[in-house]
Amino acid sequence: MWRYSVAVGAATAALLVRLLIGDEIVPSPFLVSVCALLITAWYAGFRPAILATMLSTAFAAYFFWPQVVWGSSSVAIGVARLALFAASGVALSGAVV
């Protein structure tokens, strides 16, 4: 059970760091989350890393939706970016373990 706590903690910490840093330093809402995914996969394993991926995707959709669709007028582009991040998270989770 501690492994899933690592996933929730890492995803939440990445969200807090991203909120504190702001848009000027890190323009992408996904950059800090990738670090959380890699740490979770390395330390806790594949399934907790999948949980961290899902949480990070949900956090990005909820807190950073205007940045996800930035530069496009289509919501479909934003959904595609979220799906690409989720797929990359799953691939990275499997590659690290």
Side-chain angles (χ1 to χ4, degrees):
M1 199 60 170
W2 65 271
R3 294 174 190 241
Y4 293 98
S5 300
V6 170
V8 172
T12 305
L15 172 66
L16 293 175
V17 166
R18 177 64 182 88
L19 288 172
L20 290 174
I21 288 176
D23 300 337
E24 293 79 27
I25 297 174
V26 181
S28 173
F30 304 117
L31 188 59
V32 180
S33 296
V34 170
C35 298
L37 297 175
L38 292 174
I39 290 170
T40 302
W42 175 72
Y43 188 68
F46 179 71
R47 289 184 180 168
I50 297 298
L51 175 61
T53 300
M54 291 188 302
L55 285 174
S56 295
T57 304
F59 289 159
Y62 186 78
F63 289 101
F64 306 114
W65 182 253
Q67 293 172 344
V68 172
V69 294
W70 178 78
S72 67
S73 60
S74 173
V75 173
I77 298 296
V79 172
R81 289 178 180 166
L82 287 171
L84 181 62
F85 172 73
S88 300
V90 171
L92 286 173
S93 300
V96 171
V97 174

